[in-house]
Short mmCIF file of all heavy atoms in Angstrom, two decimals:
data_model
loop_
_atom_site.label_atom_id
_atom_site.label_comp_id
_atom_site.label_asym_id
_atom_site.label_seq_id
_atom_site.Cartn_x
_atom_site.Cartn_y
_atom_site.Cartn_z
N ILE A 39 54.33 46.13 131.25
CA ILE A 39 54.90 45.14 130.29
C ILE A 39 53.84 44.85 129.31
O ILE A 39 52.62 44.86 129.43
CB ILE A 39 55.29 44.07 131.15
CG1 ILE A 39 56.35 44.34 132.12
CG2 ILE A 39 55.79 42.79 130.11
CD1 ILE A 39 56.70 43.33 133.09
N HIS A 40 54.38 44.68 128.06
CA HIS A 40 53.49 44.57 126.78
C HIS A 40 52.30 43.62 127.17
O HIS A 40 52.35 42.49 127.69
CB HIS A 40 54.33 44.04 125.72
CG HIS A 40 53.57 43.88 124.39
ND1 HIS A 40 52.98 44.98 123.85
CD2 HIS A 40 53.16 42.90 123.71
CE1 HIS A 40 52.40 44.63 122.76
NE2 HIS A 40 52.41 43.37 122.62
N SER A 41 51.05 44.10 126.82
CA SER A 41 49.84 43.30 126.83
C SER A 41 49.36 43.10 128.28
O SER A 41 48.51 42.29 128.54
CB SER A 41 50.02 42.02 126.16
OG SER A 41 50.24 42.26 124.79
N GLN A 42 49.89 43.79 129.22
CA GLN A 42 49.48 43.61 130.61
C GLN A 42 49.06 44.97 131.08
O GLN A 42 49.29 45.95 130.58
CB GLN A 42 50.55 43.08 131.56
CG GLN A 42 51.05 41.62 131.18
CD GLN A 42 52.10 41.16 132.09
OE1 GLN A 42 52.26 41.77 133.19
NE2 GLN A 42 52.91 40.33 131.63
N GLY A 43 48.35 44.94 132.20
CA GLY A 43 47.95 46.22 132.90
C GLY A 43 49.14 46.80 133.68
O GLY A 43 50.06 46.10 134.01
N PRO A 44 49.20 48.15 133.89
CA PRO A 44 50.31 48.67 134.70
C PRO A 44 50.44 48.11 135.99
O PRO A 44 49.54 47.60 136.60
CB PRO A 44 49.93 50.22 134.71
CG PRO A 44 48.98 50.48 133.51
CD PRO A 44 48.28 49.16 133.46
N GLN A 45 51.78 48.13 136.45
CA GLN A 45 52.07 47.57 137.83
C GLN A 45 52.78 48.62 138.64
O GLN A 45 53.66 49.40 138.22
CB GLN A 45 53.03 46.36 137.57
CG GLN A 45 53.58 45.82 138.87
CD GLN A 45 54.78 44.87 138.60
OE1 GLN A 45 55.51 45.02 137.63
NE2 GLN A 45 55.01 43.98 139.59
N TYR A 46 52.20 48.83 139.86
CA TYR A 46 52.79 49.82 140.77
C TYR A 46 54.22 49.51 141.14
O TYR A 46 54.52 48.28 141.35
CB TYR A 46 51.99 49.81 142.10
CG TYR A 46 52.53 50.63 143.19
CD1 TYR A 46 52.43 51.91 143.34
CD2 TYR A 46 53.36 49.89 144.21
CE1 TYR A 46 53.02 52.62 144.41
CE2 TYR A 46 53.98 50.56 145.23
CZ TYR A 46 53.79 51.93 145.31
OH TYR A 46 54.35 52.59 146.42
N ILE A 47 54.99 50.51 141.18
CA ILE A 47 56.48 50.22 141.52
C ILE A 47 56.75 50.93 142.96
O ILE A 47 57.17 50.33 143.85
CB ILE A 47 57.43 50.83 140.44
CG1 ILE A 47 57.20 50.18 139.17
CG2 ILE A 47 58.95 50.58 141.00
CD1 ILE A 47 57.99 50.82 138.02
N ILE A 48 56.59 52.25 142.97
CA ILE A 48 56.99 53.03 144.10
C ILE A 48 56.45 54.37 144.14
O ILE A 48 55.92 54.85 143.09
CB ILE A 48 58.56 53.08 144.08
CG1 ILE A 48 59.06 53.38 145.55
CG2 ILE A 48 59.07 54.00 143.09
CD1 ILE A 48 60.59 53.11 145.70
N HIS A 49 56.29 54.99 145.35
CA HIS A 49 55.82 56.48 145.25
C HIS A 49 56.54 57.16 146.47
O HIS A 49 57.01 56.47 147.40
CB HIS A 49 54.39 56.55 145.34
CG HIS A 49 53.71 56.30 146.64
ND1 HIS A 49 53.57 55.08 147.12
CD2 HIS A 49 53.14 57.14 147.55
CE1 HIS A 49 52.90 54.99 148.35
NE2 HIS A 49 52.76 56.37 148.62
N GLY A 50 56.58 58.46 146.42
CA GLY A 50 57.18 59.24 147.40
C GLY A 50 56.76 60.68 147.36
O GLY A 50 56.26 61.14 146.43
N LEU A 51 57.01 61.40 148.46
CA LEU A 51 56.59 62.83 148.61
C LEU A 51 57.92 63.73 148.46
O LEU A 51 57.96 64.59 147.59
CB LEU A 51 55.89 63.08 149.87
CG LEU A 51 55.46 64.49 150.18
CD1 LEU A 51 54.37 64.90 149.13
CD2 LEU A 51 54.86 64.69 151.61
N LYS A 52 58.85 63.54 149.43
CA LYS A 52 59.97 64.31 149.28
C LYS A 52 61.33 63.64 149.67
O LYS A 52 62.44 63.87 149.33
CB LYS A 52 59.86 65.63 150.17
CG LYS A 52 59.48 65.38 151.57
CD LYS A 52 59.36 66.77 152.32
CE LYS A 52 58.99 66.56 153.75
NZ LYS A 52 58.81 67.85 154.36
N ASN A 53 61.11 62.51 150.50
CA ASN A 53 62.24 61.68 150.91
C ASN A 53 62.56 60.59 149.86
O ASN A 53 61.53 60.22 149.15
CB ASN A 53 62.03 61.10 152.23
CG ASN A 53 61.84 62.13 153.35
OD1 ASN A 53 62.61 63.15 153.37
ND2 ASN A 53 60.87 61.90 154.17
N ASN A 54 63.71 60.14 149.77
CA ASN A 54 64.06 59.05 148.87
C ASN A 54 63.43 57.82 149.36
O ASN A 54 63.29 57.72 150.62
CB ASN A 54 65.54 58.91 148.80
CG ASN A 54 66.23 60.03 148.12
OD1 ASN A 54 65.65 60.92 147.42
ND2 ASN A 54 67.54 60.24 148.36
N GLU A 55 62.92 56.94 148.52
CA GLU A 55 62.36 55.78 148.98
C GLU A 55 62.98 54.60 148.29
O GLU A 55 63.35 54.67 147.17
CB GLU A 55 60.75 55.85 148.54
CG GLU A 55 59.99 56.88 149.10
CD GLU A 55 59.73 56.80 150.57
OE1 GLU A 55 59.80 55.69 151.21
OE2 GLU A 55 59.33 57.78 151.19
N THR A 56 62.87 53.32 149.02
CA THR A 56 63.44 52.20 148.35
C THR A 56 62.45 51.05 148.72
O THR A 56 61.95 50.95 149.87
CB THR A 56 64.84 51.84 148.86
OG1 THR A 56 65.72 52.90 148.37
CG2 THR A 56 65.34 50.57 148.40
N ASN A 57 62.23 50.08 147.78
CA ASN A 57 61.49 48.95 148.17
C ASN A 57 62.20 47.78 147.34
O ASN A 57 63.30 47.94 146.80
CB ASN A 57 60.01 49.01 147.90
CG ASN A 57 59.65 49.22 146.42
OD1 ASN A 57 60.50 49.01 145.56
ND2 ASN A 57 58.52 49.80 146.13
N GLU A 58 61.57 46.53 147.41
CA GLU A 58 62.14 45.44 146.73
C GLU A 58 62.25 45.54 145.28
O GLU A 58 63.07 44.79 144.63
CB GLU A 58 61.33 44.11 147.18
CG GLU A 58 59.97 44.18 146.57
CD GLU A 58 58.95 44.92 147.33
OE1 GLU A 58 59.34 45.67 148.36
OE2 GLU A 58 57.72 44.93 147.02
N MET A 59 61.57 46.42 144.67
CA MET A 59 61.60 46.60 143.22
C MET A 59 62.56 47.66 142.68
O MET A 59 63.29 47.56 141.75
CB MET A 59 60.35 46.88 142.64
CG MET A 59 59.31 45.77 142.66
SD MET A 59 57.70 46.29 141.99
CE MET A 59 58.18 46.40 140.23
N ALA A 60 62.61 48.87 143.47
CA ALA A 60 63.40 50.03 142.86
C ALA A 60 63.60 51.03 144.07
O ALA A 60 63.13 50.82 145.13
CB ALA A 60 62.51 50.65 141.75
N SER A 61 64.36 51.99 143.66
CA SER A 61 64.61 53.14 144.45
C SER A 61 64.13 54.38 143.82
O SER A 61 64.17 54.42 142.52
CB SER A 61 66.12 53.45 144.75
OG SER A 61 66.60 52.25 145.56
N LEU A 62 63.55 55.35 144.49
CA LEU A 62 63.15 56.59 144.06
C LEU A 62 63.91 57.79 144.68
O LEU A 62 63.88 57.78 145.94
CB LEU A 62 61.62 56.77 144.28
CG LEU A 62 60.90 58.11 143.89
CD1 LEU A 62 61.08 58.46 142.45
CD2 LEU A 62 59.46 58.11 144.39
N ILE A 63 64.49 58.55 143.81
CA ILE A 63 65.32 59.69 144.27
C ILE A 63 64.55 60.97 143.85
O ILE A 63 64.35 61.10 142.69
CB ILE A 63 66.81 59.59 143.73
CG1 ILE A 63 67.49 58.30 143.86
CG2 ILE A 63 67.58 60.78 144.30
CD1 ILE A 63 67.50 57.96 145.42
N ILE A 64 64.26 61.80 144.71
CA ILE A 64 63.60 63.00 144.45
C ILE A 64 64.48 64.16 144.89
O ILE A 64 65.00 64.17 145.99
CB ILE A 64 62.21 63.14 145.31
CG1 ILE A 64 61.27 61.88 145.01
CG2 ILE A 64 61.49 64.45 144.98
CD1 ILE A 64 60.11 61.87 145.76
N THR A 65 64.71 65.11 143.88
CA THR A 65 65.59 66.21 144.22
C THR A 65 65.02 67.05 145.32
O THR A 65 63.80 67.10 145.58
CB THR A 65 65.84 67.06 142.86
OG1 THR A 65 64.47 67.54 142.46
CG2 THR A 65 66.46 66.21 141.80
N GLU A 66 65.95 67.82 145.93
CA GLU A 66 65.51 68.69 147.03
C GLU A 66 64.49 69.66 146.70
O GLU A 66 63.61 69.92 147.58
CB GLU A 66 66.77 69.40 147.63
CG GLU A 66 66.48 70.03 149.05
CD GLU A 66 67.78 70.46 149.64
OE1 GLU A 66 68.89 70.05 149.22
OE2 GLU A 66 67.67 71.29 150.58
N ASP A 67 64.48 70.23 145.48
CA ASP A 67 63.47 71.18 145.18
C ASP A 67 62.25 70.52 144.61
O ASP A 67 61.15 71.08 144.22
CB ASP A 67 64.03 72.17 144.15
CG ASP A 67 64.42 71.54 142.74
OD1 ASP A 67 64.15 70.28 142.61
OD2 ASP A 67 64.98 72.18 141.98
N ARG A 68 62.28 69.14 144.47
CA ARG A 68 61.14 68.28 144.06
C ARG A 68 60.70 68.54 142.67
O ARG A 68 59.72 68.05 142.24
CB ARG A 68 59.99 68.51 145.06
CG ARG A 68 60.26 68.13 146.45
CD ARG A 68 59.15 67.71 147.36
NE ARG A 68 57.82 68.27 147.01
CZ ARG A 68 56.81 67.50 146.57
NH1 ARG A 68 56.92 66.18 146.46
NH2 ARG A 68 55.69 68.15 146.25
N LYS A 69 61.55 69.10 141.88
CA LYS A 69 61.16 69.44 140.46
C LYS A 69 61.48 68.20 139.57
O LYS A 69 61.13 68.26 138.38
CB LYS A 69 61.77 70.69 140.00
CG LYS A 69 61.27 71.94 140.70
CD LYS A 69 61.82 73.25 140.10
CE LYS A 69 61.10 74.42 140.89
NZ LYS A 69 61.68 75.75 140.24
N SER A 70 62.21 67.28 140.01
CA SER A 70 62.56 66.12 139.27
C SER A 70 62.79 64.97 140.09
O SER A 70 63.07 65.07 141.33
CB SER A 70 63.71 66.32 138.30
OG SER A 70 64.88 66.51 139.08
N SER A 71 62.74 63.74 139.55
CA SER A 71 62.99 62.49 140.27
C SER A 71 63.65 61.48 139.28
O SER A 71 63.53 61.57 138.08
CB SER A 71 61.68 62.03 140.81
OG SER A 71 60.69 61.62 139.94
N THR A 72 64.14 60.43 139.90
CA THR A 72 64.79 59.40 139.16
C THR A 72 64.34 58.09 139.80
O THR A 72 64.46 57.87 141.01
CB THR A 72 66.27 59.46 139.21
OG1 THR A 72 66.70 60.76 138.57
CG2 THR A 72 66.96 58.36 138.28
N LEU A 73 63.88 57.16 138.91
CA LEU A 73 63.58 55.83 139.34
C LEU A 73 64.90 55.08 138.98
O LEU A 73 65.35 54.99 137.90
CB LEU A 73 62.40 55.22 138.58
CG LEU A 73 61.99 53.79 138.90
CD1 LEU A 73 61.37 53.70 140.28
CD2 LEU A 73 61.05 53.27 137.81
N ILE A 74 65.34 54.17 139.99
CA ILE A 74 66.47 53.39 139.77
C ILE A 74 66.10 51.95 139.90
O ILE A 74 65.59 51.49 140.96
CB ILE A 74 67.59 53.77 140.73
CG1 ILE A 74 67.91 55.23 140.63
CG2 ILE A 74 68.83 52.89 140.57
CD1 ILE A 74 68.90 55.73 141.63
N LEU A 75 66.41 51.18 138.87
CA LEU A 75 66.26 49.75 138.96
C LEU A 75 67.74 49.25 138.98
O LEU A 75 68.55 49.42 138.18
CB LEU A 75 65.72 49.17 137.68
CG LEU A 75 64.34 49.66 137.21
CD1 LEU A 75 63.85 49.11 135.88
CD2 LEU A 75 63.24 49.55 138.25
N PRO A 76 68.15 48.76 140.23
CA PRO A 76 69.57 48.56 140.56
C PRO A 76 70.29 47.51 139.69
O PRO A 76 71.48 47.66 139.30
CB PRO A 76 69.58 48.10 142.05
CG PRO A 76 68.19 47.67 142.31
CD PRO A 76 67.27 48.37 141.36
N HIS A 77 69.66 46.46 139.29
CA HIS A 77 70.27 45.50 138.43
C HIS A 77 69.20 45.04 137.37
O HIS A 77 68.51 44.06 137.61
CB HIS A 77 70.77 44.24 139.20
CG HIS A 77 71.57 44.65 140.36
ND1 HIS A 77 73.01 44.94 140.21
CD2 HIS A 77 71.45 44.68 141.78
CE1 HIS A 77 73.53 45.28 141.37
NE2 HIS A 77 72.56 45.08 142.30
N ALA A 78 69.24 45.78 136.25
CA ALA A 78 68.11 45.48 135.26
C ALA A 78 68.23 44.07 134.61
O ALA A 78 69.43 43.56 134.39
CB ALA A 78 68.16 46.50 134.20
N THR A 79 67.12 43.49 134.55
CA THR A 79 66.98 42.17 133.77
C THR A 79 66.18 42.30 132.56
O THR A 79 65.43 43.26 132.43
CB THR A 79 66.35 41.13 134.74
OG1 THR A 79 65.07 41.32 134.96
CG2 THR A 79 67.06 40.99 136.08
N LEU A 80 66.06 41.36 131.73
CA LEU A 80 65.35 41.46 130.57
C LEU A 80 63.88 41.52 130.86
O LEU A 80 63.08 42.20 130.06
CB LEU A 80 65.58 40.07 129.73
CG LEU A 80 67.01 39.92 129.21
CD1 LEU A 80 67.11 38.59 128.38
CD2 LEU A 80 67.45 41.01 128.35
N ARG A 81 63.45 41.07 132.07
CA ARG A 81 62.05 41.13 132.42
C ARG A 81 61.64 42.61 132.80
O ARG A 81 60.43 42.92 133.04
CB ARG A 81 61.72 40.22 133.52
CG ARG A 81 61.60 38.81 133.08
CD ARG A 81 61.41 37.80 134.23
NE ARG A 81 62.53 37.65 135.06
CZ ARG A 81 62.48 36.95 136.18
NH1 ARG A 81 61.51 36.21 136.57
NH2 ARG A 81 63.58 36.89 137.05
N ASP A 82 62.59 43.47 133.00
CA ASP A 82 62.37 44.90 133.24
C ASP A 82 61.97 45.74 131.99
O ASP A 82 61.69 46.84 132.14
CB ASP A 82 63.58 45.44 133.99
CG ASP A 82 63.68 44.89 135.38
OD1 ASP A 82 62.64 44.62 136.08
OD2 ASP A 82 64.93 44.76 135.82
N THR A 83 62.20 45.09 130.86
CA THR A 83 61.71 45.79 129.59
C THR A 83 60.32 46.03 129.68
O THR A 83 59.41 45.19 129.80
CB THR A 83 62.10 44.96 128.29
OG1 THR A 83 63.52 44.71 128.25
CG2 THR A 83 61.51 45.50 127.11
N ALA A 84 59.96 47.37 129.61
CA ALA A 84 58.56 47.81 129.78
C ALA A 84 58.49 49.27 129.48
O ALA A 84 59.50 49.97 129.42
CB ALA A 84 58.12 47.53 131.20
N VAL A 85 57.27 49.83 129.51
CA VAL A 85 57.10 51.23 129.51
C VAL A 85 56.87 51.73 131.04
O VAL A 85 56.07 51.23 131.74
CB VAL A 85 55.76 51.71 128.74
CG1 VAL A 85 55.53 53.18 128.86
CG2 VAL A 85 56.02 51.22 127.26
N TYR A 86 57.67 52.76 131.39
CA TYR A 86 57.59 53.25 132.72
C TYR A 86 56.87 54.67 132.85
O TYR A 86 57.24 55.53 132.05
CB TYR A 86 59.01 53.39 133.31
CG TYR A 86 59.67 51.94 133.63
CD1 TYR A 86 60.08 51.16 132.63
CD2 TYR A 86 59.66 51.53 134.89
CE1 TYR A 86 60.58 49.89 132.82
CE2 TYR A 86 60.26 50.25 135.15
CZ TYR A 86 60.63 49.39 134.05
OH TYR A 86 61.20 48.16 134.41
N TYR A 87 56.01 54.70 133.71
CA TYR A 87 55.14 55.93 133.81
C TYR A 87 55.54 56.66 135.10
O TYR A 87 55.45 56.08 136.22
CB TYR A 87 53.68 55.69 133.84
CG TYR A 87 53.26 54.95 132.45
CD1 TYR A 87 52.92 53.67 132.35
CD2 TYR A 87 52.92 55.76 131.34
CE1 TYR A 87 52.52 53.10 131.21
CE2 TYR A 87 52.43 55.24 130.17
CZ TYR A 87 52.26 53.87 130.14
OH TYR A 87 51.78 53.26 128.98
N CYS A 88 55.74 57.92 134.97
CA CYS A 88 55.89 58.86 136.21
C CYS A 88 54.64 59.65 136.31
O CYS A 88 54.22 60.33 135.32
CB CYS A 88 57.16 59.61 135.98
SG CYS A 88 57.30 61.05 137.13
N ILE A 89 54.04 59.73 137.44
CA ILE A 89 52.72 60.55 137.60
C ILE A 89 52.86 61.34 138.91
O ILE A 89 53.45 60.90 139.90
CB ILE A 89 51.56 59.52 137.84
CG1 ILE A 89 51.41 58.58 136.65
CG2 ILE A 89 50.17 60.23 138.02
CD1 ILE A 89 50.58 57.37 137.02
N VAL A 90 52.34 62.60 138.76
CA VAL A 90 52.31 63.44 139.97
C VAL A 90 50.93 63.84 140.29
O VAL A 90 50.21 64.27 139.45
CB VAL A 90 53.24 64.74 139.66
CG1 VAL A 90 53.16 65.70 140.78
CG2 VAL A 90 54.74 64.26 139.41
N SER A 91 50.53 63.74 141.59
CA SER A 91 49.21 64.02 141.98
C SER A 91 49.10 64.04 143.41
O SER A 91 50.02 63.62 144.15
CB SER A 91 48.26 63.00 141.35
OG SER A 91 46.86 63.44 141.60
N PHE A 92 47.99 64.70 143.87
CA PHE A 92 47.74 64.61 145.24
C PHE A 92 47.34 63.30 145.74
O PHE A 92 46.78 62.47 145.04
CB PHE A 92 46.44 65.54 145.54
CG PHE A 92 46.58 66.93 145.18
CD1 PHE A 92 46.08 67.42 143.95
CD2 PHE A 92 47.27 67.88 146.03
CE1 PHE A 92 46.24 68.69 143.61
CE2 PHE A 92 47.53 69.08 145.67
CZ PHE A 92 46.92 69.60 144.37
N ASN A 93 47.82 62.92 146.84
CA ASN A 93 47.55 61.63 147.43
C ASN A 93 46.04 61.51 147.66
O ASN A 93 45.32 62.31 148.19
CB ASN A 93 48.23 61.44 148.87
CG ASN A 93 48.47 60.05 149.17
OD1 ASN A 93 48.38 59.16 148.31
ND2 ASN A 93 48.64 59.75 150.38
N GLY A 94 45.40 60.37 147.13
CA GLY A 94 44.01 60.27 147.12
C GLY A 94 43.34 60.67 145.89
O GLY A 94 42.17 60.47 145.57
N GLY A 95 44.11 61.28 144.96
CA GLY A 95 43.41 61.85 143.68
C GLY A 95 44.09 61.40 142.45
O GLY A 95 43.70 61.61 141.39
N TYR A 96 45.33 60.70 142.68
CA TYR A 96 46.09 60.34 141.43
C TYR A 96 45.52 59.34 140.65
O TYR A 96 45.81 59.25 139.44
CB TYR A 96 47.48 60.01 141.90
CG TYR A 96 47.75 58.52 142.25
CD1 TYR A 96 48.29 57.73 141.21
CD2 TYR A 96 47.34 58.08 143.39
CE1 TYR A 96 48.50 56.34 141.51
CE2 TYR A 96 47.59 56.59 143.69
CZ TYR A 96 48.09 55.85 142.76
OH TYR A 96 48.30 54.54 142.99
N GLN A 97 44.57 58.57 141.16
CA GLN A 97 43.95 57.49 140.36
C GLN A 97 43.20 58.04 139.20
O GLN A 97 42.85 57.47 138.25
CB GLN A 97 43.00 56.62 141.25
CG GLN A 97 43.61 55.99 142.36
CD GLN A 97 43.52 56.72 143.61
OE1 GLN A 97 43.44 57.90 143.59
NE2 GLN A 97 43.51 56.02 144.75
N LYS A 98 42.86 59.33 139.33
CA LYS A 98 42.04 60.03 138.36
C LYS A 98 42.89 60.75 137.28
O LYS A 98 42.39 61.45 136.40
CB LYS A 98 41.14 61.04 138.98
CG LYS A 98 40.29 60.38 140.09
CD LYS A 98 39.45 61.48 140.95
CE LYS A 98 38.75 60.79 142.09
NZ LYS A 98 38.13 61.80 142.80
N VAL A 99 44.22 60.59 137.41
CA VAL A 99 45.11 61.24 136.46
C VAL A 99 45.39 60.34 135.22
O VAL A 99 45.51 59.13 135.34
CB VAL A 99 46.56 61.41 137.21
CG1 VAL A 99 47.48 61.96 136.21
CG2 VAL A 99 46.39 62.35 138.39
N THR A 100 45.37 61.04 134.11
CA THR A 100 45.65 60.38 132.84
C THR A 100 47.16 60.26 132.85
O THR A 100 47.97 61.14 133.06
CB THR A 100 45.21 61.18 131.68
OG1 THR A 100 43.77 60.97 131.62
CG2 THR A 100 45.75 60.69 130.41
N PHE A 101 47.66 59.02 132.47
CA PHE A 101 49.12 58.65 132.41
C PHE A 101 49.64 59.40 130.98
O PHE A 101 48.95 59.39 130.15
CB PHE A 101 49.30 57.18 132.25
CG PHE A 101 49.10 56.47 133.46
CD1 PHE A 101 47.83 56.67 134.29
CD2 PHE A 101 49.85 55.41 133.94
CE1 PHE A 101 47.55 55.92 135.41
CE2 PHE A 101 49.56 54.65 135.14
CZ PHE A 101 48.43 54.93 135.84
N GLY A 102 50.84 59.77 131.01
CA GLY A 102 51.53 60.24 129.82
C GLY A 102 51.90 59.09 129.01
O GLY A 102 51.39 57.93 129.21
N ILE A 103 52.79 59.31 128.07
CA ILE A 103 53.28 58.18 127.18
C ILE A 103 54.42 57.36 127.80
O ILE A 103 54.70 56.26 127.37
CB ILE A 103 53.64 58.64 125.74
CG1 ILE A 103 54.89 59.59 125.84
CG2 ILE A 103 52.53 59.27 125.11
CD1 ILE A 103 55.40 59.89 124.46
N GLY A 104 55.10 57.90 128.86
CA GLY A 104 56.07 57.11 129.60
C GLY A 104 57.36 57.01 128.87
O GLY A 104 57.64 57.57 127.80
N THR A 105 58.31 56.25 129.42
CA THR A 105 59.55 55.94 128.87
C THR A 105 59.64 54.39 128.52
O THR A 105 59.40 53.60 129.42
CB THR A 105 60.71 56.27 129.80
OG1 THR A 105 60.82 57.59 130.15
CG2 THR A 105 62.02 55.73 129.31
N LYS A 106 59.96 54.13 127.32
CA LYS A 106 60.16 52.81 126.92
C LYS A 106 61.47 52.32 127.21
O LYS A 106 62.43 52.79 126.65
CB LYS A 106 59.81 52.64 125.41
CG LYS A 106 60.20 51.24 124.84
CD LYS A 106 59.35 50.07 125.36
CE LYS A 106 59.77 48.77 124.66
NZ LYS A 106 58.92 47.56 125.32
N LEU A 107 61.68 51.42 128.22
CA LEU A 107 62.92 51.00 128.65
C LEU A 107 63.18 49.59 127.95
O LEU A 107 62.46 48.68 128.16
CB LEU A 107 63.08 50.74 130.08
CG LEU A 107 64.43 50.19 130.64
CD1 LEU A 107 65.53 51.17 130.46
CD2 LEU A 107 64.29 49.78 132.12
N GLN A 108 64.34 49.53 127.26
CA GLN A 108 64.72 48.28 126.57
C GLN A 108 65.98 47.84 127.29
O GLN A 108 67.07 48.54 127.30
CB GLN A 108 64.95 48.57 125.10
CG GLN A 108 65.41 47.26 124.38
CD GLN A 108 64.17 46.37 124.11
OE1 GLN A 108 63.17 46.74 123.74
NE2 GLN A 108 64.42 45.04 124.41
N VAL A 109 65.87 46.70 127.95
CA VAL A 109 67.05 46.09 128.44
C VAL A 109 67.69 45.13 127.54
O VAL A 109 67.07 44.19 126.96
CB VAL A 109 66.71 45.28 129.82
CG1 VAL A 109 67.95 44.64 130.48
CG2 VAL A 109 65.96 46.22 130.81
N ILE A 110 69.02 45.44 127.32
CA ILE A 110 69.72 44.68 126.25
C ILE A 110 70.64 43.60 126.87
O ILE A 110 71.35 43.79 127.76
CB ILE A 110 70.54 45.67 125.47
CG1 ILE A 110 69.70 46.82 124.88
CG2 ILE A 110 71.36 45.00 124.29
CD1 ILE A 110 70.45 47.96 124.35
#
Side-chain angles (χ1 to χ4, degrees):
Chain A
I39 296 170
H40 184 62
S41 299
Q42 298 181 22
Q45 176 192 23
Y46 168 85
I47 302 173
I48 199 167
H49 75 283
L51 181 62
K52 56 183 178 180
N53 297 321
N54 297 338
E55 303 286 346
T56 296
N57 63 20
E58 64 278 5
M59 290 182 68
S61 294
L62 173 61
I63 308 298
I64 302 173
T65 58
E66 191 170 345
D67 63 8
R68 303 207 326 119
K69 293 184 177 182
S70 65
S71 60
T72 301
L73 177 74
I74 301 172
L75 307 178
H77 305 287
T79 70
L80 298 178
R81 286 180 292 183
D82 292 322
T83 292
V85 177
Y86 287 77
Y87 297 102
C88 168
I89 304 162
V90 171
S91 185
F92 299 101
N93 206 17
Y96 87 100
Q97 300 96 331
K98 306 172 189 175
V99 173
T100 286
F101 293 45
I103 62 171
T105 296
K106 169 68 175 176
L107 175 69
Q108 183 71 48
V109 179
I110 303 169

